[in-house]
Amino acid sequence: MAGCACREKISVKDHFFDVGGNSLRATKLAAKINQKLNIRISVRNVFEWQTIEQMAQSIEQMEQDVLVSIPQVEEKEYYPISSAQMRMYIMSIKAGKELMYNMSGMFMLEGSLDRIRLEEAFHQLIHRHESLRTGFKVIHGEPKQIVYPKVNFGIELIESTEVEIEDRIEQFVRTFDLGQAPLMRVGLIEFQQERHVLLVDLHHIIADGLSVQLLMTELSQFYKGEELSPLRIQYKDYAEWQQIQLHSEWMKKQEKYWLTVFGESIPLLDLPTDYERPETLRYAGDVLDIVVQEDLLPGLRKMEALTGTTLYMILLAAYTILLSKYSGQEDIIVGTPIAGRTHAELEPVMGMFVNTLAIRNYPAGDKTFTEYLMEVKENMLNAYENQDYPFEELIEKVNVTKDARRNPLFDTMFVLQNTDASEIQMDGVTCKPYAPNTRVSKFDLTLYVTELQHKLEVAFEYSTILFEKTTIEAMSQNLLVILTTIANDPHIEINKIQLVEELIDGDTLADLIEVDF
């Protein structure tokens, strides 16, 4: 389990966040409790009732609220698409030959691989998940999804030497025709007798990050010859259900929250760039990985416990302070993805469920970090409570300036990757994630943090159209300075947090990072 020491037994008095809980797991826990007990608890409740004992006592006093299952739709020639798919369809058409919506998973396979069994396992996956048999066409002026009973599929076999792997991957990942199912291609690079790289390239319109994990888990099960229980619902059922929910009182309440958050003038983040912003969005990018000293994490963990926050909230607060320092602004909007599977029935379904939350915070210089962190916590809990409202609907209804050079609402993202991407065993074959170099950046800047048991892995994905690598290197070092400073002194005023170029002569980054907790 990422970010915690795994325990064989969990006490009713153990705190949820002390045993590996995070916002994603809190969402899944709330959804499962609601389904099993016919009640309606929220992510905020999980934060409030952090032990099984507290949760049980609170649930006993709640009234039952029968949750309606997502209905199966009748079989039709075509079906509506979800809000997320609608925006992705439009953006994909605009992007043309850009690869911004390709979801490419690469996996190192070591062992005696049976290619025939592997291909058959993929055929079983395609039969099981309608998303893998779905194409998109404009019908009566609107994009619709069409589920095909069968599609043509075969694994592309690619010969390569080890030094040519990156080139072969680059050649393999290419644009999709959204009208042609399946929107998935699979390749197998053999570079040694018992060493292969499995390439799985999907269009984001039919899958999200959890879908890729689900795909690999079920691929392993089918490869082993296991049988899986049939799915009750498919993505088309969710898409039609979502369109009905958009007109419900429950969704109108969520819409009111977001329109209140963005009711005032919406700021554009004014980061200094090395190059002039082009007239239209361009997606050339690169990634800079940085090392975070292991000594830093205990201090952040201690802050979690003392403030009742999560590592995500602490990192988001630090990141917005960094953006504020660089831009000189105290009204910062950062986008963050959220799994979007708030209904427990959606957990085993492949599809595009991810929603985007636009989080607006105010890192004013006269606030202490702790005061600001508590504001970030409250804003995040409110966002979690209103996470079902589609981002695509929000940008249509708020007064955001239309600018072909920018993304709507925000130009920077923050992603904490703490999903349980573990090694998969496939009958004598070990399957591990293989990370190739990326050359795409959907936003000006995205901060990725991967939470491991004893350390954090941090990466800045940045637009090479706007930034030099040296600029991002300096920015990454300043993020470490901020994290180190707040771990040392959580009550420091934000305007007293100094960046590297502001340090007194003689201080070095190494001096700051060597902290005794």
Side-chain angles (χ1 to χ4, degrees), residues 258 262 269 312 316 319-320 323 332-338 354-361 380 383 391 394-395 407-416 443-448:
W258 290 109
F262 293 101
L269 184 63
Y312 175 92
L316 176 61
Y319 184 47
T320 52
L323 297 173
I332 305 290
I333 303 170
V334 174
T336 189
I338 194 157
V354 168
N355 195 15
T356 301
L357 302 181
I359 309 299
R360 190 172 189 175
N361 287 300
M380 285 309 308
F391 176 70
L394 177 63
I395 59 178
N407 289 282
L409 271 187
F410 54 80
D411 286 300
T412 183
M413 292 275 287
F414 170 55
V415 183
L416 178 62
F443 297 89
D444 294 359
L445 194 64
T446 300
L447 175 63
Y448 290 94

Side-chain angles (χ1 to χ4, degrees), residues 164 183 250 280 337 343 372 398 404 418 470 479:
E164 295 173 328
L183 296 177
W250 165 63
T280 57
H343 202 297
Y372 177 55
V398 297
N418 49 22
T470 52
L479 177 64

Side-chain angles (χ1 to χ4, degrees), residues 84 88 103 131 202-215 235 238 337-341 346-347 349-355:
M88 201 159 285
M103 294 189 66
S131 291
L202 303 110
H203 197 287
H204 209 340
I205 201 167
I206 63 158
D208 55 21
L210 290 179
S211 294
V212 175
Q213 289 185 38
L214 178 66
L215 182 148
Y235 190 84
Y238 160 77
I338 194 157
R341 300 175 189 240
L346 299 175
E347 196 169 322
V349 179
M350 272 198 69
M352 174 51 189
F353 295 99
V354 168
N355 195 15

Side-chain angles (χ1 to χ4, degrees), residues 183-251:
L183 296 177
M184 174 182 74
R185 63 177 66 95
V186 177
L188 190 64
I189 299 175
E190 181 179 23
F191 62 96
Q192 291 179 11
Q193 187 172 353
E194 293 197 349
R195 297 189 75 198
H196 299 76
V197 176
L198 177 66
L199 311 177
V200 182
D201 192 22
L202 303 110
H203 197 287
H204 209 340
I205 201 167
I206 63 158
D208 55 21
L210 290 179
S211 294
V212 175
Q213 289 185 38
L214 178 66
L215 182 148
M216 291 306 296
T217 299
E218 293 187 350
L219 176 70
S220 172
Q221 292 172 308
F222 283 134
Y223 185 84
K224 294 174 185 176
E226 297 177 12
E227 291 188 9
L228 303 182
S229 302
L231 298 173
R232 192 189 72 80
I233 58 172
Q234 296 279 351
Y235 190 84
K236 69 178 189 299
D237 304 307
Y238 160 77
E240 194 149 310
W241 174 78
Q242 186 204 48
Q243 296 309 301
I244 295 170
Q245 294 300 307
L246 287 177
H247 305 288
S248 68
E249 289 301 317
W250 165 63
M251 196 65 80

